[in-house]
Amino acid sequence: MSALDAEQTTMVEVRATGHVRRELGEHRFEFTFEGETLGEFLDAFFEEHGCADLLLAETEAEETTGGWADHPGELPGRWERNPEGERTRAFARVLVNGRFNELLDGFATELSDSDRVALVYPFLFCC
C-alpha cells in the first residue's frame, strides 16, 4: 500500500457538556479517527460512543423550537445554518476551537491534530 492509499488520521480533544457529558461519563478526552473533517469525526465518534440522537436533528422540527418572546425582527450579526442532514438539535451545538461549526464550513470543516471539538447540549443563547 502506498502512502497515498493510507487513510489520514486526526487526533482531536473532545469536550462534552450537559447531557452528552452524562452519556459519555467523562467531559474531556482525546479521540483519534480516520479522516480530517468534522463530518468524518462525527461519524467515527457516534459509531464508537453513540450520542448522535442527543446532537443531530433529522427533521426541521428537531432543529427548531418555539420561543417565549416575540421575534424582534432583524437580528444583528451573522446567522448561518448547516445544509439539511448536517443540522444540530434545538439547544445542541458542535463547536470547533470555540466556534460554531455552521460559521465555519459545517461538517466539511477541516480538523487538525489537537483541535478542540465541543459537543454541547444543552446550549442556551440569549439575544
Side-chain angles (χ1 to χ4, degrees):
M1 177 165 72
S2 74
L4 293 175
D5 295 331
E7 184 71 33
Q8 164 85 27
T9 61
T10 307
M11 185 280 303
V12 297
E13 183 178 323
V14 176
R15 296 187 184 184
T17 67
H19 300 303
V20 180
R21 177 182 179 167
R22 184 185 67 226
E23 183 75 20
L24 295 172
E26 56 187 323
H27 72 283
R28 186 180 196 170
F29 55 93
E30 292 179 349
F31 185 78
T32 301
F33 65 99
E34 289 186 359
E36 53 189 13
T37 67
L38 181 59
E40 290 167 322
F41 160 79
L42 291 171
D43 288 344
F45 187 84
F46 293 147
E47 183 175 322
E48 185 170 324
H49 294 284
C51 303
D53 59 322
L54 292 175
L55 293 163
L56 299 183
E58 293 183 15
T59 66
E60 187 169 344
E62 290 177 340
E63 74 167 314
T64 59
T65 184
W68 51 267
D70 292 333
H71 188 283
E74 192 65 29
L75 297 173
R78 179 177 162 197
W79 295 83
E80 300 289 332
R81 184 174 179 188
N82 282 342
E84 193 170 325
E86 297 184 5
R87 296 182 183 155
T88 55
R89 289 183 162 280
F91 306 115
R93 288 290 180 269
V94 177
L95 294 87
V96 175
N97 296 323
R99 297 195 61 208
F100 296 138
N101 79 84
E102 59 268 23
L103 298 178
L104 300 168
D105 289 326
F107 288 8
T109 299
E110 289 192 22
L111 300 176
S112 300
D113 286 335
S114 300
D115 278 350
R116 291 180 324 274
V117 177
L119 306 174
V120 180
Y121 180 62
F123 171 82
L124 301 177
F125 180 80
C126 299
C127 292

